[in-house]
Structure formats: structure tokens, C-alpha cells
Amino acid sequence: MRKTKDLAQLQAIARGVRRHIVEMTGAAKSGHPGGSLSAVETLVTLYFDVMNHDPANPRWADRDRFILSKGHAAPVLYAVMAECGYADTPVDQLNTLRKLGSVYQGHPDRRFIPSLEASTGSLGQGLSVAIGMGLAARLDGKAWRTYVVLGDGEIQEGQIWEAAMFGAFHKVDNVVAIVDYNRIQLDGFVKDIMELEPLADKWRAFGWQVVEPDGHDIASLQKAFAEAAATKGKPTVLIAHTIKGKGVSFMENNPKFHGVAPTPAEVEQALKELA
Amino acid sequence: MRDAFIRTLTDLAPQHPELLLLTGDLGFKVLDQYIARFPRQFLNVGVAEQNMSGLAAGLALEGHTVFTYSIGNFPTLRCLEQIRNDICYHGANVKIVCIGGGMSYGAVGFSHHATEDLAILRSLPGMLVFSPCDLWEAAEAARYLVSHRGPAYLRLDKSAAPVNVEPGEAFRPGSIRTVREGSDVTLAATGGILGEALLAADALAEQGIFCRVLSVHTVKPLDTDTLAAAASETGGIISIEEHAVDGGLGGAISEALMEAGVFPGFFVRMGLRNTFSSAVGSQQYLRKVYSLDAAAIARTVSARLARGADRFLTVAAR
């Protein structure tokens, strides 16, 4: 697969992934476009630059692990894996999302896509699993790392903070969490529902290395992942500042598009913007 | 049972470097010897059972055999969704161990009594459910689980029935052990409360009533054949569990026999009936309060047999 550090190439891949997300959710007439679009650069940077993995050999023992804890952003994961060339995520079937017989369940499901590390969907659970994998790598003397993407609404779950305490106390420095901080959750703005601020201070107080990249600036993400890799003795969290619905004017920062698919006319307009 | 479990794990850990024991801060010193010998195979994860279960799933998906260990409902109900999604859905090799099944924690109070766990855990796809009755079964179930791959639940009781093993007997997971033969009534029990069933059987034998006593150490999968035989060969079946009657052993037996089309002469579920075990006292005292001790079992048997005899007399009088 075409791994690259080149910003123009990565941006082009991100644009293609955005088009997939719009088309998939439009075809499905349901799904979560907003929180998928906000995480595009994070996943593209991970899969096309940062992570060691081999789509031709998905169970390669030394691969880096990835868990999408905010499982409702499945469309971005499916589109990115499809662009990487994983055999169990065919590009030409992306538009079967949520349809009968599709491998593309509403939330990532390892029974249909064995290349996934974990099936997710119920919020708050992925960080613990990722840290369990990180512990396993350490116990087994392996160099591979584990990446886990969390939603901002998701980290209202108490289990996240159990895991955060554990990860820091046990110095699980081979795990990197990324909070897709788009500031919108299902019912509205995070600040109106249950404010997370001061978010960076919270993670620091829990003992994590905190980096705050612009989650739509690939160079900023690359730098943050490099800092995470260089951080020893504690885990790192990237609080990726993002915009829900990023890339589609009428979806941006609009809580409506958390869990509502675009209409055919909206798909058409969005694809024009993403041309 | 707890000590039998730890001893077994301590014996097997050297041959199983992939084995890991996680506890949610409830080692109570009984784990000390294990910890001292195998520090790399132990982790106290703190009072955080949801995280413990997720960690266990992550470790298991990377090839470890993980035991999560805590008391009462803490390793099960507190983290049920993590068990369902992270452990069971992935078929992760995690063994959940509850010490203090049923009302083991007596006067500690209802919060520490595990009285719905069997019903809830057995409903999870792929989950095996063990509830041994004596120390031999506890050790053997633990030994089996170290080598078995996949999710399982092991419910350990503070009380234990007297060990009643045939020389050379092998532990057969998924099978019911017949610990006493008899044809008048079947007493099917799970957990240490089997001891009460045996005492009741002793008392009834003096009155000429002979009970078949079954130890249902594996609640899932359930040994339907042995139960069907008991339904046909004895006068009726009484299920006995330190657990809610809804969905537990009694529920499992009735489901299995109904589906098999085999109907016992009578069927009684002894257990907690739509109630919390909130009385204050020891496990033994609570069994008495909730009509689950040997005397209550014997009374139940006598009452059912008398009712059967009455019906027979009525029919004969016609």
C-alpha cells in the first residue's frame, strides 16, 4: 500500500475518504457522517503514515493495533481500510453500509471484518481494551503500539477515567489515545450537555502526556504522533481539535449531522464541495 | 473453595506462562503466595471492574489466558456490558471468578450477595457457567478452565458440600454428578448448598424416602440427559440454589426438560422468590430464613410426596 509522509498525497486521500463517507451514509440513508468527517485526518495519518501494518497480511504479529472506540464513526474506518486495500473491506461495496448482507455494519464488527482488532459500538469501552493490548505487548516484549480513537461525548463514560488512571499508573506508554474533540455529541453541544473542559488539564491530572494538534492539519497530527512515540513512562493522549462534519459546509458544526444521513440532494452538493 | 481455586492456579501457573490473574483489589491476602511466586502473572487493577474486564479482553485477544477475580456481583453485574461486548462477542479467553456466590457473605449484606448472577451470565452467548458444590469440583473446574479457551464464569461459594468423589473419578465439565442414588425424589443443587440437600436426604432416608442427589456443577451447558433420566426415574425434581428462582438453576432445568418433552412427576424450584436476601446473619442463618436449609428441603419433599399420596387416595376412593 502507498504509505507516505507527503502532505499533498495524504490530503488527497483524506478528500477521497470524505467522499466515501458522504456517499456511504447517503446510500444507507442512516449513519453518523458528522463524527466520521471530523476524524478523517486522524485516521488517514495513522493508516497511511504512522502505523506499521500490512493490509495483505492483516494478522501480522508485529502490526500496530487500532481500535475505533467511538464505533459509530465506522464509515471513516471502513473508507480508510478500503483505501488501504484490506481484502475484507472492499471499496466497491462501501455503499452497502447498513444494508442486508453487508460486511459494513453500523458499528465495526470483527465477525464480518476479521482485520479489525475489536468490535465496538457501546461507548467508553475501547480504551480499556487498548490498554489491555498495550500491556500484552509489554509482557511479551513486543514493540508494536496501540492506537484508540475516542469521541468527546464518549469520554463522559466513567470507564474511560478508570482506564486513564490505570494507563498512567502502570506507565503503559505504548498506547496512544486520540480524542476527536469536535465538541458536539448526539443531542447537541458538549458544553451544553456535560462540559468536558478543562479537558487537557483533566488528562494531565490523570498522568497522561497531552498533545493538542489541529485534527484537520496533517502536519500537526504527524508532529503529535511523533511526540507520543517519543514519550516514555506514560501514555499519550492527543486532544485533536476538530470540526464535526468537516469538509461539507452545511454539515460543519451542525449537531443535526451527528446521526442523520444526507439526502440525495445534500449528497450531490457535498460531493461538489469535495471535488 | 476460594483456597482450592488459588491452589490450583498456583500449581498450574508455571506450566502456563500465558496465565494472568487480575483482581479488583479483593485479594484479601489469600492471593499472597500466588503473587509472591508469579509477580508477572498478577495484577491488582484497583477498584475498577469495568476497566478490569476490558483489560482482560485486550490481554486475551493478544493470547493471554486471563482470570478476573473479585467478590459477589463486582466481577459480573458491575461490568456486564464489558463482559457481553468485549469478552463474549470476541470469544475472548477470559475466566470470570466470583468468590462469595449466593449468600456466602452473610451479614455483610445484600449488596455482597450474588443471587442473580447465574441467570444473567448463562444468558450470554458463548459463556460457560460453573458453580461447583465442593472443594474437589472447585479445584477441577479451575484446572479445566486454565486449559479451556473462551469465556467462562466460575462461581465459588464460601460453603462447600462434603467431598464425595469415587476413586479415580474424572471431572466432566458439562455433566451432572450423581452424588447419591435414589428413586423417590431428585434433589438437583448447584453450589455449596448441595450440602443442605445431602443432609435433607439423610433425614428423609430415615423415614424411608430415598433421594437422588445431583450436583449441577455446570449450569451451562446443562446436562439434559441426566435430568431427563431423573424426571423419568424418580417421583419428581426439586431444584435447589442460593439464587433467585427466576432464570437460575430451576429456570435452566425447566427450560431443558420442557424442550426435551420430559416431564417430572412434580417440579419445585427452591431459591429466593422475588426477594433480596436482606436479613442479617450468617450464610447458614440466611438459608434458614429463606427456607433453603436442610430442614426446609426435607419439608418440601415431604409436602410434595404427601400431596401426591393425597391425589392417589382421592383417585382410589372414586
Side-chain angles (χ1 to χ4, degrees), chain B residues 226-264:
Chain B
T226 298
L227 291 166
S232 319
E233 295 164 9
T234 69
I237 296 180
I238 298 177
S239 64
I240 302 157
E241 58 197 309
E242 215 168 280
H243 185 274
V245 292
D246 300 313
L249 176 65
I253 292 175
S254 49
E255 290 161 17
L257 291 182
M258 284 286 277
E259 278 195 341
V262 183
F263 304 102

mmCIF file of all heavy atoms in Angstrom, chain B residues 226-264:
data_model
loop_
_atom_site.group_PDB
_atom_site.id
_atom_site.type_symbol
_atom_site.label_atom_id
_atom_site.label_comp_id
_atom_site.label_asym_id
_atom_site.label_seq_id
_atom_site.Cartn_x
_atom_site.Cartn_y
_atom_site.Cartn_z
ATOM 1 N N THR B 226 -29.043 -36.355 31.983
ATOM 2 C CA THR B 226 -29.124 -36.797 33.377
ATOM 3 C C THR B 226 -30.401 -36.282 34.036
ATOM 4 O O THR B 226 -31.029 -36.975 34.846
ATOM 5 C CB THR B 226 -27.864 -36.308 34.134
ATOM 6 O OG1 THR B 226 -26.723 -36.907 33.518
ATOM 7 C CG2 THR B 226 -27.906 -36.687 35.604
ATOM 8 N N LEU B 227 -30.797 -35.076 33.658
ATOM 9 C CA LEU B 227 -32.025 -34.510 34.219
ATOM 10 C C LEU B 227 -33.254 -35.251 33.693
ATOM 11 O O LEU B 227 -34.205 -35.527 34.427
ATOM 12 C CB LEU B 227 -32.130 -33.021 33.875
ATOM 13 C CG LEU B 227 -31.095 -32.139 34.583
ATOM 14 C CD1 LEU B 227 -31.033 -30.766 33.935
ATOM 15 C CD2 LEU B 227 -31.435 -32.014 36.068
ATOM 16 N N ALA B 228 -33.224 -35.599 32.407
ATOM 17 C CA ALA B 228 -34.361 -36.319 31.821
ATOM 18 C C ALA B 228 -34.499 -37.689 32.469
ATOM 19 O O ALA B 228 -35.610 -38.142 32.768
ATOM 20 C CB ALA B 228 -34.175 -36.440 30.309
ATOM 21 N N ALA B 229 -33.345 -38.317 32.722
ATOM 22 C CA ALA B 229 -33.394 -39.618 33.393
ATOM 23 C C ALA B 229 -33.990 -39.471 34.787
ATOM 24 O O ALA B 229 -34.829 -40.268 35.219
ATOM 25 C CB ALA B 229 -31.986 -40.218 33.462
ATOM 26 N N ALA B 230 -33.586 -38.411 35.472
ATOM 27 C CA ALA B 230 -34.108 -38.177 36.828
ATOM 28 C C ALA B 230 -35.617 -37.934 36.776
ATOM 29 O O ALA B 230 -36.369 -38.393 37.645
ATOM 30 C CB ALA B 230 -33.395 -36.982 37.458
ATOM 31 N N ALA B 231 -36.070 -37.219 35.752
ATOM 32 C CA ALA B 231 -37.504 -36.932 35.626
ATOM 33 C C ALA B 231 -38.291 -38.218 35.426
ATOM 34 O O ALA B 231 -39.387 -38.387 35.976
ATOM 35 C CB ALA B 231 -37.736 -35.971 34.464
ATOM 36 N N SER B 232 -37.727 -39.134 34.644
ATOM 37 C CA SER B 232 -38.452 -40.380 34.362
ATOM 38 C C SER B 232 -38.337 -41.391 35.500
ATOM 39 O O SER B 232 -39.262 -42.145 35.747
ATOM 40 C CB SER B 232 -37.898 -41.051 33.097
ATOM 41 O OG SER B 232 -37.626 -40.116 32.116
ATOM 42 N N GLU B 233 -37.183 -41.389 36.161
ATOM 43 C CA GLU B 233 -36.897 -42.494 37.097
ATOM 44 C C GLU B 233 -37.254 -42.165 38.541
ATOM 45 O O GLU B 233 -37.282 -43.053 39.379
ATOM 46 C CB GLU B 233 -35.399 -42.857 37.015
ATOM 47 C CG GLU B 233 -35.000 -43.420 35.652
ATOM 48 C CD GLU B 233 -33.490 -43.411 35.421
ATOM 49 O OE1 GLU B 233 -32.740 -43.132 36.387
ATOM 50 O OE2 GLU B 233 -33.079 -43.667 34.275
ATOM 51 N N THR B 234 -37.481 -40.889 38.837
ATOM 52 C CA THR B 234 -37.814 -40.529 40.225
ATOM 53 C C THR B 234 -39.178 -39.822 40.241
ATOM 54 O O THR B 234 -39.697 -39.427 39.191
ATOM 55 C CB THR B 234 -36.747 -39.625 40.855
ATOM 56 O OG1 THR B 234 -36.781 -38.339 40.216
ATOM 57 C CG2 THR B 234 -35.343 -40.203 40.712
ATOM 58 N N GLY B 235 -39.699 -39.650 41.434
ATOM 59 C CA GLY B 235 -41.067 -39.120 41.567
ATOM 60 C C GLY B 235 -41.219 -37.678 41.130
ATOM 61 O O GLY B 235 -42.294 -37.244 40.707
ATOM 62 N N GLY B 236 -40.140 -36.922 41.223
ATOM 63 C CA GLY B 236 -40.214 -35.510 40.854
ATOM 64 C C GLY B 236 -38.866 -34.868 41.084
ATOM 65 O O GLY B 236 -37.944 -35.503 41.623
ATOM 66 N N ILE B 237 -38.736 -33.614 40.665
ATOM 67 C CA ILE B 237 -37.448 -32.917 40.782
ATOM 68 C C ILE B 237 -37.618 -31.649 41.607
ATOM 69 O O ILE B 237 -38.581 -30.896 41.406
ATOM 70 C CB ILE B 237 -36.880 -32.559 39.386
ATOM 71 C CG1 ILE B 237 -36.580 -33.846 38.598
ATOM 72 C CG2 ILE B 237 -35.633 -31.688 39.497
ATOM 73 C CD1 ILE B 237 -36.023 -33.603 37.199
ATOM 74 N N ILE B 238 -36.685 -31.457 42.524
ATOM 75 C CA ILE B 238 -36.618 -30.188 43.259
ATOM 76 C C ILE B 238 -35.268 -29.562 42.954
ATOM 77 O O ILE B 238 -34.223 -30.190 43.145
ATOM 78 C CB ILE B 238 -36.777 -30.420 44.775
ATOM 79 C CG1 ILE B 238 -38.154 -31.040 45.056
ATOM 80 C CG2 ILE B 238 -36.597 -29.113 45.546
ATOM 81 C CD1 ILE B 238 -38.403 -31.375 46.516
ATOM 82 N N SER B 239 -35.288 -28.349 42.410
ATOM 83 C CA SER B 239 -34.028 -27.637 42.174
ATOM 84 C C SER B 239 -33.719 -26.781 43.393
ATOM 85 O O SER B 239 -34.622 -26.205 44.000
ATOM 86 C CB SER B 239 -34.120 -26.777 40.905
ATOM 87 O OG SER B 239 -35.088 -25.757 41.071
ATOM 88 N N ILE B 240 -32.452 -26.736 43.752
ATOM 89 C CA ILE B 240 -32.035 -26.030 44.980
ATOM 90 C C ILE B 240 -30.841 -25.137 44.652
ATOM 91 O O ILE B 240 -29.811 -25.611 44.156
ATOM 92 C CB ILE B 240 -31.644 -27.046 46.077
ATOM 93 C CG1 ILE B 240 -32.838 -27.980 46.360
ATOM 94 C CG2 ILE B 240 -31.207 -26.319 47.349
ATOM 95 C CD1 ILE B 240 -32.430 -29.296 46.975
ATOM 96 N N GLU B 241 -31.012 -23.859 44.892
ATOM 97 C CA GLU B 241 -29.923 -22.920 44.573
ATOM 98 C C GLU B 241 -29.979 -21.731 45.519
ATOM 99 O O GLU B 241 -31.053 -21.296 45.933
ATOM 100 C CB GLU B 241 -30.054 -22.431 43.120
ATOM 101 C CG GLU B 241 -31.379 -21.739 42.823
ATOM 102 C CD GLU B 241 -31.673 -21.624 41.336
ATOM 103 O OE1 GLU B 241 -30.791 -21.138 40.611
ATOM 104 O OE2 GLU B 241 -32.777 -22.020 40.905
ATOM 105 N N GLU B 242 -28.807 -21.202 45.828
ATOM 106 C CA GLU B 242 -28.731 -19.988 46.631
ATOM 107 C C GLU B 242 -28.729 -18.827 45.643
ATOM 108 O O GLU B 242 -27.713 -18.182 45.378
ATOM 109 C CB GLU B 242 -27.451 -20.014 47.467
ATOM 110 C CG GLU B 242 -27.625 -19.371 48.822
ATOM 111 C CD GLU B 242 -26.458 -19.660 49.725
ATOM 112 O OE1 GLU B 242 -26.426 -20.772 50.306
ATOM 113 O OE2 GLU B 242 -25.565 -18.815 49.830
ATOM 114 N N HIS B 243 -29.879 -18.560 45.087
ATOM 115 C CA HIS B 243 -30.001 -17.719 43.896
ATOM 116 C C HIS B 243 -31.494 -17.496 43.683
ATOM 117 O O HIS B 243 -32.326 -18.253 44.171
ATOM 118 C CB HIS B 243 -29.398 -18.488 42.702
ATOM 119 C CG HIS B 243 -29.329 -17.727 41.411
ATOM 120 N ND1 HIS B 243 -30.372 -17.663 40.524
ATOM 121 C CD2 HIS B 243 -28.326 -17.002 40.857
ATOM 122 C CE1 HIS B 243 -30.020 -16.929 39.480
ATOM 123 N NE2 HIS B 243 -28.780 -16.507 39.656
ATOM 124 N N ALA B 244 -31.826 -16.469 42.921
ATOM 125 C CA ALA B 244 -33.220 -16.264 42.547
ATOM 126 C C ALA B 244 -33.733 -17.478 41.776
ATOM 127 O O ALA B 244 -32.993 -18.064 40.985
ATOM 128 C CB ALA B 244 -33.333 -15.016 41.675
ATOM 129 N N VAL B 245 -34.990 -17.833 42.006
ATOM 130 C CA VAL B 245 -35.526 -18.976 41.246
ATOM 131 C C VAL B 245 -35.706 -18.609 39.775
ATOM 132 O O VAL B 245 -35.733 -19.476 38.910
ATOM 133 C CB VAL B 245 -36.877 -19.475 41.815
ATOM 134 C CG1 VAL B 245 -36.682 -20.094 43.177
ATOM 135 C CG2 VAL B 245 -37.918 -18.379 41.844
ATOM 136 N N ASP B 246 -35.841 -17.334 39.489
ATOM 137 C CA ASP B 246 -36.082 -16.918 38.105
ATOM 138 C C ASP B 246 -34.797 -16.977 37.292
ATOM 139 O O ASP B 246 -33.862 -16.220 37.546
ATOM 140 C CB ASP B 246 -36.635 -15.489 38.055
ATOM 141 C CG ASP B 246 -37.944 -15.387 38.811
ATOM 142 O OD1 ASP B 246 -38.807 -16.258 38.602
ATOM 143 O OD2 ASP B 246 -38.092 -14.457 39.621
ATOM 144 N N GLY B 247 -34.772 -17.852 36.335
ATOM 145 C CA GLY B 247 -33.653 -17.871 35.401
ATOM 146 C C GLY B 247 -32.412 -18.591 35.873
ATOM 147 O O GLY B 247 -31.465 -18.732 35.113
ATOM 148 N N GLY B 248 -32.389 -19.025 37.104
ATOM 149 C CA GLY B 248 -31.202 -19.702 37.617
ATOM 150 C C GLY B 248 -31.241 -21.189 37.292
ATOM 151 O O GLY B 248 -31.677 -21.591 36.208
ATOM 152 N N LEU B 249 -30.802 -22.018 38.262
ATOM 153 C CA LEU B 249 -30.777 -23.460 38.017
ATOM 154 C C LEU B 249 -32.181 -23.987 37.742
ATOM 155 O O LEU B 249 -32.389 -24.772 36.808
ATOM 156 C CB LEU B 249 -30.159 -24.179 39.230
ATOM 157 C CG LEU B 249 -30.171 -25.701 39.127
ATOM 158 C CD1 LEU B 249 -29.276 -26.179 37.984
ATOM 159 C CD2 LEU B 249 -29.739 -26.339 40.444
ATOM 160 N N GLY B 250 -33.143 -23.559 38.577
ATOM 161 C CA GLY B 250 -34.518 -24.040 38.380
ATOM 162 C C GLY B 250 -35.041 -23.653 37.015
ATOM 163 O O GLY B 250 -35.680 -24.460 36.314
ATOM 164 N N GLY B 251 -34.763 -22.430 36.603
ATOM 165 C CA GLY B 251 -35.183 -21.981 35.278
ATOM 166 C C GLY B 251 -34.522 -22.809 34.190
ATOM 167 O O GLY B 251 -35.178 -23.252 33.240
ATOM 168 N N ALA B 252 -33.230 -23.044 34.360
ATOM 169 C CA ALA B 252 -32.484 -23.795 33.337
ATOM 170 C C ALA B 252 -33.022 -25.219 33.219
ATOM 171 O O ALA B 252 -33.192 -25.746 32.112
ATOM 172 C CB ALA B 252 -30.997 -23.812 33.687
ATOM 173 N N ILE B 253 -33.294 -25.842 34.361
ATOM 174 C CA ILE B 253 -33.791 -27.226 34.322
ATOM 175 C C ILE B 253 -35.168 -27.276 33.663
ATOM 176 O O ILE B 253 -35.442 -28.136 32.814
ATOM 177 C CB ILE B 253 -33.856 -27.821 35.753
ATOM 178 C CG1 ILE B 253 -32.438 -28.012 36.305
ATOM 179 C CG2 ILE B 253 -34.618 -29.135 35.751
ATOM 180 C CD1 ILE B 253 -32.397 -28.473 37.757
ATOM 181 N N SER B 254 -36.033 -26.343 34.033
ATOM 182 C CA SER B 254 -37.374 -26.400 33.456
ATOM 183 C C SER B 254 -37.339 -26.154 31.950
ATOM 184 O O SER B 254 -38.037 -26.817 31.194
ATOM 185 C CB SER B 254 -38.331 -25.443 34.167
ATOM 186 O OG SER B 254 -37.772 -24.172 34.276
ATOM 187 N N GLU B 255 -36.499 -25.230 31.512
ATOM 188 C CA GLU B 255 -36.367 -24.994 30.067
ATOM 189 C C GLU B 255 -35.919 -26.277 29.353
ATOM 190 O O GLU B 255 -36.472 -26.667 28.330
ATOM 191 C CB GLU B 255 -35.314 -23.909 29.806
ATOM 192 C CG GLU B 255 -35.740 -22.515 30.218
ATOM 193 C CD GLU B 255 -34.534 -21.574 30.382
ATOM 194 O OE1 GLU B 255 -33.433 -21.907 29.879
ATOM 195 O OE2 GLU B 255 -34.712 -20.520 31.020
ATOM 196 N N ALA B 256 -34.871 -26.898 29.936
ATOM 197 C CA ALA B 256 -34.279 -28.065 29.278
ATOM 198 C C ALA B 256 -35.285 -29.214 29.201
ATOM 199 O O ALA B 256 -35.425 -29.867 28.159
ATOM 200 C CB ALA B 256 -33.025 -28.505 30.026
ATOM 201 N N LEU B 257 -36.007 -29.450 30.305
ATOM 202 C CA LEU B 257 -36.930 -30.589 30.317
ATOM 203 C C LEU B 257 -38.152 -30.321 29.444
ATOM 204 O O LEU B 257 -38.631 -31.221 28.748
ATOM 205 C CB LEU B 257 -37.352 -30.921 31.755
ATOM 206 C CG LEU B 257 -36.230 -31.493 32.629
ATOM 207 C CD1 LEU B 257 -36.751 -31.825 34.021
ATOM 208 C CD2 LEU B 257 -35.607 -32.732 31.980
ATOM 209 N N MET B 258 -38.641 -29.091 29.440
ATOM 210 C CA MET B 258 -39.781 -28.767 28.577
ATOM 211 C C MET B 258 -39.408 -29.002 27.116
ATOM 212 O O MET B 258 -40.158 -29.605 26.353
ATOM 213 C CB MET B 258 -40.197 -27.300 28.768
ATOM 214 C CG MET B 258 -40.965 -27.015 30.036
ATOM 215 S SD MET B 258 -42.655 -27.611 29.995
ATOM 216 C CE MET B 258 -43.434 -26.246 29.125
ATOM 217 N N GLU B 259 -38.226 -28.511 26.752
ATOM 218 C CA GLU B 259 -37.816 -28.670 25.351
ATOM 219 C C GLU B 259 -37.583 -30.136 24.993
ATOM 220 O O GLU B 259 -37.814 -30.547 23.866
ATOM 221 C CB GLU B 259 -36.549 -27.856 25.072
ATOM 222 C CG GLU B 259 -36.861 -26.397 24.813
ATOM 223 C CD GLU B 259 -35.715 -25.629 24.182
ATOM 224 O OE1 GLU B 259 -34.557 -26.088 24.253
ATOM 225 O OE2 GLU B 259 -35.994 -24.557 23.622
ATOM 226 N N ALA B 260 -37.097 -30.913 25.988
ATOM 227 C CA ALA B 260 -36.856 -32.335 25.721
ATOM 228 C C ALA B 260 -38.170 -33.119 25.734
ATOM 229 O O ALA B 260 -38.195 -34.291 25.353
ATOM 230 C CB ALA B 260 -35.889 -32.890 26.765
ATOM 231 N N GLY B 261 -39.239 -32.499 26.185
ATOM 232 C CA GLY B 261 -40.529 -33.182 26.256
ATOM 233 C C GLY B 261 -40.583 -34.221 27.352
ATOM 234 O O GLY B 261 -41.311 -35.204 27.265
ATOM 235 N N VAL B 262 -39.791 -34.022 28.378
ATOM 236 C CA VAL B 262 -39.769 -34.960 29.511
ATOM 237 C C VAL B 262 -40.290 -34.218 30.729
ATOM 238 O O VAL B 262 -39.757 -33.162 31.085
ATOM 239 C CB VAL B 262 -38.334 -35.455 29.796
ATOM 240 C CG1 VAL B 262 -38.334 -36.473 30.921
ATOM 241 C CG2 VAL B 262 -37.709 -36.030 28.541
ATOM 242 N N PHE B 263 -41.321 -34.747 31.355
ATOM 243 C CA PHE B 263 -41.929 -34.007 32.461
ATOM 244 C C PHE B 263 -41.839 -34.790 33.755
ATOM 245 O O PHE B 263 -42.289 -35.932 33.836
ATOM 246 C CB PHE B 263 -43.387 -33.684 32.110
ATOM 247 C CG PHE B 263 -43.478 -32.936 30.813
ATOM 248 C CD1 PHE B 263 -43.860 -33.590 29.647
ATOM 249 C CD2 PHE B 263 -43.108 -31.602 30.746
ATOM 250 C CE1 PHE B 263 -43.895 -32.912 28.444
ATOM 251 C CE2 PHE B 263 -43.143 -30.921 29.535
ATOM 252 C CZ PHE B 263 -43.535 -31.574 28.384
ATOM 253 N N PRO B 264 -41.240 -34.174 34.769
ATOM 254 C CA PRO B 264 -41.150 -34.854 36.064
ATOM 255 C C PRO B 264 -42.539 -34.960 36.696
ATOM 256 O O PRO B 264 -43.451 -34.194 36.341
ATOM 257 C CB PRO B 264 -40.235 -33.945 36.878
ATOM 258 C CG PRO B 264 -40.295 -32.608 36.231
ATOM 259 C CD PRO B 264 -40.673 -32.819 34.796
#
